[in-house]
C-alpha cells in the first residue's frame, strides 16, 4: 500500500492534537496505516529509529501505552528506555525542567505520562528532542490517533460520522478524541452529567478548530447521544488521580453506563469503543464490551501502529 505523506513533521512535539492541522493528522494516520499494512504483509523492516534512543517516562501506571511504545521503538530499530518517575532523582525533588535537560543530553525522543500537563510543557520547553504526550490530565493524543485509525478502518472514513462519547466528558481521552474527530470532519456528541461536561471555553476552542460542517454537541441525555451514532465510546468514571472522588463519581455517572438498555437506542451497526482499562460493571457491562459491536481489542492493537507512525514522523 502506498500513501502520500505531504508534510514534514520531524522535530515537532505532540502535547495535544489541537496543535496540529487536519492535514498533519491525516499524515500521521496514513503513515500508521502504511506501517501496519507493511507489517501485515510480512515486512518488519522500518528502521526509522535506527541508532536512536527514546526515553519512556511514566509517573502513572500503564499497560497498553507502556508496552506499545516499548515494542514500537524496538520495531522501528531504536532503543527504548523505560523510566519510572519515582526511580529517577525526580522522586527526590530534582525539577522537571532539569530532568528534561538531562534527557536531552542522551536521547533522541521523549515519551512521557504525567499527572500535570504543565510538566510536559516544561520538559518540551527545555528539550530539543521531540516530546510525545503518553497521557496527562488534559490529553491523551496517542490514544485518539489509534482510535481514529480504528474508526477509519471499521467505517472507511471519519468525515461525516457521528461519534457519541458517554461518560466523563471532561476527561483526557474525551478531549483528545473530540480534537481529532472534529478536525477530521466527524461530529461528536458528548453525553455527561452537567458537572462533568467539557468546560465552555474549551468547547468553544474545539468548535473553532473543527473542519467545516463538523459539529460538537454537549448533552446530558445519553439515549439521545447514541441514537444516530456510528461510534459509541466510553472511558472510566474515575481517572488516575481522582481516587478521592470515587464514590461520588460512581453515583453520578450511573445513568451513563454503556449497557444493553442504552445500546437498544443505538443503530445496530454502531461500533463500541473503550480506551481500556475498563471497569466492567461500572461504565460498561460485560455483554457490551464483549459483544458483537465491540472493537476494543482492535483499538488496543492500533495503539502500537499509530504510535509507530507518529514516532516515524516526529523523531
Ligand atoms: N488506554 C491506555 O492508555 O491504557 P494504559 O493506561 O494501560 O496505558
Ligand atoms: N481517563 C483515564 C484514561 C486511562 C487510559 C485516566 O486518565 O485514568
Amino acid at each position: 500500500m502506498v500513501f502520500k505523506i505531504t508534510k514534514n513533521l520531524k522535530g515537532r512535539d505532540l502535547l495535544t492534537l489541537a496543535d496540529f492541522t487536519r492535514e498533519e493528522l491525516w499524515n500521521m494516520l496514513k503513515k500508521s496505516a502504511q506501517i501496519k499494512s507493511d507489517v501485515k504483509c510480512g515486512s518488519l523492516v522500518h528502521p526509522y529509529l535506527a541508532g536512536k534512543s527514546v526515553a519512556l517516562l511514566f509517573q502513572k501506571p500503564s499497560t497498553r501505552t507502556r508496552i506499545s511504545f516499548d515494542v514500537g521503538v524496538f520495531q522501528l530499530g531504536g532503543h527504548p528506555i523505560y523510566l519510572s518517575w519515582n526511580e529517577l532523582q525526580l522522586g527526590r525533588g530534582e525539577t522537571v525542567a532539569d530532568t528534561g535537560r538531562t534527557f536531552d543530553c542522551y536521547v533522541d525522543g521523549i515519551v512521557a505520562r504525567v499527572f500535570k500537563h504543565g510538566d510536559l510543557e516544561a520538559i518540551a520547553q527545555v528539550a530539543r528532542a521531540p516530546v510525545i504526550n503518553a497521557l496527562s490530565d488534559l490529553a491523551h493524543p496517542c490514544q485518539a490517533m489509534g482510535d481514529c485509525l480504528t474508526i477509519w478502518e471499521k467505517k472507511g472514513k471519519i468525515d461525516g460520522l457521528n461519534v457519541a462519547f458517554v461518560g466523563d466528558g471532561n476527561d483526557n481521552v474525551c478531549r483528545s478524541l473530540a480534537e481529532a474527530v472534529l478536525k477530521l470532519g466527524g461530529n461528536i456528541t458528548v453525553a455527561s452529567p452537567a458537572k462533568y461536561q467539557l468546560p465552555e471555553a474549551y468547547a468553544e476552542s474545539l468548535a473553532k478548530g473543527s473542519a467545516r460542517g463538523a459539529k460538537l454537541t454537549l448533552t446530558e441525555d445519553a439515549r439521545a447521544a447514541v441514537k444516530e451514532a456510528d461510534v459509541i465510546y466510553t472511558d472510566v468514571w474515575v481517572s488516575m488521580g481522582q481516587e478521592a472522588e470515587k464514590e461520588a463519581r460512581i453515583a453520578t455517572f450511573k445513568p451513563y453506563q454503556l449497557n444493553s438498555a442504552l445500546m437498544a437506542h443505538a443503530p445496530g451497526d454502531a461500533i463500541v469503543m473503550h480506551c481500556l482499562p475498563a471497569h466492567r460493571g461500572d461504565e460498561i457491562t460485560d455483554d457490551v464490551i464483549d459483544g458483537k459491536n465491540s472493537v476494543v481489542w482492535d483499538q488496543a492493537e492500533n495503539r502500537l501502529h499509530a504510535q509507530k507512525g507518529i514516532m516515524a514522523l516526529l523523531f
Side-chain angles (χ1 to χ4, degrees), residues 58 61-66 113 134-135 140 143 240 275-277 303:
F58 282 77
S62 170
T63 300
R64 281 142 289 269
T65 311
R66 175 178 174 176
R113 169 170 285 198
L135 182 144
H140 199 1
Q143 178 72 52
M240 291 179 278
C275 57
L276 304 179
R303 294 292 307 280

Side-chain angles (χ1 to χ4, degrees), residues 46-54 72-74 76-79 311-312 315:
H46 293 106
Y48 293 102
L49 299 185
K52 296 190 177 180
S53 297
V54 178
V73 172
F74 168 73
L76 295 179
H79 172 54
M311 289 192 287
F315 290 168

